[in-house]
Amino acid sequence: MMSTPALRETTNPYIVQLVRSVGREADVRLFSWRDAIMGRYDVLHVHWPEIFTSASSAPKRWARRVLVSAVQCRLALTRTALVRTAHNERPHEQAASVDGNILRRWDRLTTLWIVLNERTTTASEAPTAFIPHGHYREHFASYERREPSADLVSVVGHIRPYKGVEDLVSAVVSDARPDAFRVHVAGKPANSALRKELLEVAGDSPRIDLELDFIDDARMVEVISSSSLVVLPYRNLHNSGVALLALSLDRPVLVPDNAVTRDLQAEVGTDWVHLLKDDVDLPSAIRTALSLGIPAGQPDLRAREWSVTAHEHAEAYLRAQKIRRKRS
């Protein structure tokens, strides 16, 4: 059972590809509270457990907390294995104390972790399986691409505080150098305060284009393909589907310099992954990356084929099931 309840237009494309590809290797069910508590399944695969207690009102949040506790009791009392994908080493937003306790119980119940890079530190001592994040080439292959503009940079995806988008906008608005470039920000802010801040920081700058709303797959391809560089000005970057999405659409990326992004650069090529050093300001790094243009050919994403990824997930589920049964 996957922790996603349905495949919708707004579902993370990584999850869509995972469900469909793993479905060719195993019997995959989508999540429902009833089936998660009462149904028959061997493995529960959870991605972002904090989403389970997310709700629009306090009563709904408390109802979800009760349901989560019921699922956790089922896992503790049965031979059902819990597999967790460690997308991040810790949640990006601070949880309420009661939700923090729920998250820690998820950690204690985890049978097996799936890590997307070999540098991930998990929240418990459960065994790990390294399965690289799959690419997006086939998923977005049917969408029409645009010709890139040499001076256009894009920032795409759900806008959250840790991504530093407002820092990028502020840096570009304050940049007075003559060789100007433009920035297109496309994505829905996490809250109204962040939306307001972006609008205030951008002001009436002709160099900033804010598209602050959900963008579907077709629009995502349009925005990325029309730019010559995709920038991820994150304050903390560990794994990034957006970076792989840009690379899958044959556009170079500018990412913070850390051990994980250096590994990605070594994997796909220095022409495709530009590193933002601590001693270089963001506009200067963007100018340097833009001056190099879009490389010829495609980045090397052979290690991220979904046929391999699906098989490795199926093997991880079997491994987790054996571990859980031995502990029972």
Side-chain angles (χ1 to χ4, degrees):
M1 178 176 288
M2 293 285 185
S3 59
T4 186
L7 299 182
R8 302 185 178 93
E9 183 182 13
T10 55
T11 302
N12 187 314
Y14 171 81
I15 300 297
V16 174
Q17 292 186 98
L18 180 66
V19 169
R20 291 174 176 170
S21 62
V22 173
R24 294 189 284 269
E25 297 270 348
D27 176 15
V28 175
R29 302 180 187 182
L30 297 181
F31 185 88
S32 75
W33 290 111
R34 179 184 176 86
D35 288 343
I37 297 168
M38 306 291 292
R40 296 183 62 185
Y41 56 96
D42 301 302
V43 177
L44 176 62
H45 186 175
V46 173
H47 292 271
W48 297 277
E50 59 270 24
I51 293 176
F52 282 130
T53 53
S54 174
S56 57
S57 67
K60 290 181 179 179
R61 194 172 302 114
W62 278 106
R64 281 176 166 256
R65 288 165 176 164
V66 172
L67 290 169
V68 169
S69 296
V71 174
Q72 292 180 331
C73 285
R74 180 245 165 86
L75 294 173
L77 296 173
T78 67
R79 303 173 82 184
T80 306
L82 174 60
V83 172
R84 297 268 305 281
T85 295
H87 291 272
N88 309 297
E89 292 189 303
R90 61 191 62 84
H92 290 297
E93 280 86 31
Q94 186 174 359
S97 58
V98 62
D99 294 327
N101 291 333
I102 290 173
L103 290 173
R104 285 187 288 275
R105 193 174 190 205
W106 280 121
D107 295 340
R108 293 193 298 271
L109 289 169
T110 298
T111 312
L112 178 76
W113 293 93
I114 290 175
V115 295
L116 302 177
N117 70 70
E118 293 181 289
R119 298 186 183 275
T120 299
T121 301
T122 56
S124 75
E125 296 183 356
T128 63
F130 169 50
I131 305 178
H133 190 307
H135 61 63
Y136 295 94
R137 280 179 174 156
E138 286 79 17
H139 184 81
F140 289 99
S142 63
Y143 296 105
E144 184 177 353
R145 302 189 189 188
R146 295 186 174 181
E147 287 298 314
S149 297
D151 67 339
L152 184 60
V153 170
S154 64
V155 180
V156 298
H158 189 52
I159 302 171
R160 298 170 68 181
Y162 76 90
K163 293 186 176 182
V165 178
E166 63 273 32
D167 297 337
L168 168 63
V169 172
S170 177
V172 173
V173 170
S174 302
D175 178 39
R177 278 167 284 189
D179 50 339
F181 56 85
R182 297 174 294 128
V183 176
H184 185 172
V185 177
K188 186 175 182 179
N191 53 60
S192 58
L194 184 53
R195 173 187 293 272
K196 181 180 179 181
E197 182 178 1
L198 285 167
L199 290 170
E200 290 177 349
V201 171
D204 58 357
S205 172
R207 297 177 60 185
I208 306 295
D209 180 11
L210 297 181
E211 186 177 347
L212 302 181
D213 203 352
F214 169 76
I215 56 173
D216 61 17
D217 288 353
R219 182 60 180 150
M220 184 88 72
V221 173
E222 288 178 351
V223 172
I224 291 176
S225 62
S226 66
S227 62
S228 292
L229 178 71
V230 175
V231 178
L232 289 78
Y234 294 16
R235 298 178 183 124
N236 177 28
L237 189 152
H238 188 68
N239 289 301
S240 174
V242 172
L244 289 171
L245 171 54
L247 294 169
S248 298
L249 295 173
D250 306 325
R251 292 296 180 267
V253 297
L254 175 64
V255 293
D257 180 19
N258 61 39
V260 174
T261 55
R262 287 193 291 273
D263 288 345
L264 180 63
Q265 185 187 63
E267 176 189 346
V268 305
T270 56
D271 292 341
W272 291 102
V273 177
H274 304 288
L275 302 179
L276 175 61
K277 306 288 186 178
D278 290 337
D279 59 346
V280 178
D281 67 273
L282 190 49
S284 295
I286 291 174
R287 283 186 173 84
T288 299
L290 284 174
S291 70
L292 298 173
I294 299 173
Q298 293 182 313
D300 184 0
L301 300 176
R302 289 174 295 176
R304 300 172 182 272
E305 296 292 343
W306 277 101
S307 57
V308 176
T309 294
H311 180 71
E312 290 177 340
H313 272 83
E315 291 293 315
Y317 299 147
L318 289 172
R319 180 183 169 194
Q321 189 179 28
K322 291 177 182 177
I323 292 170
R324 184 72 183 96
R325 289 179 175 176
K326 284 182 180 179
R327 292 176 181 172
S328 300

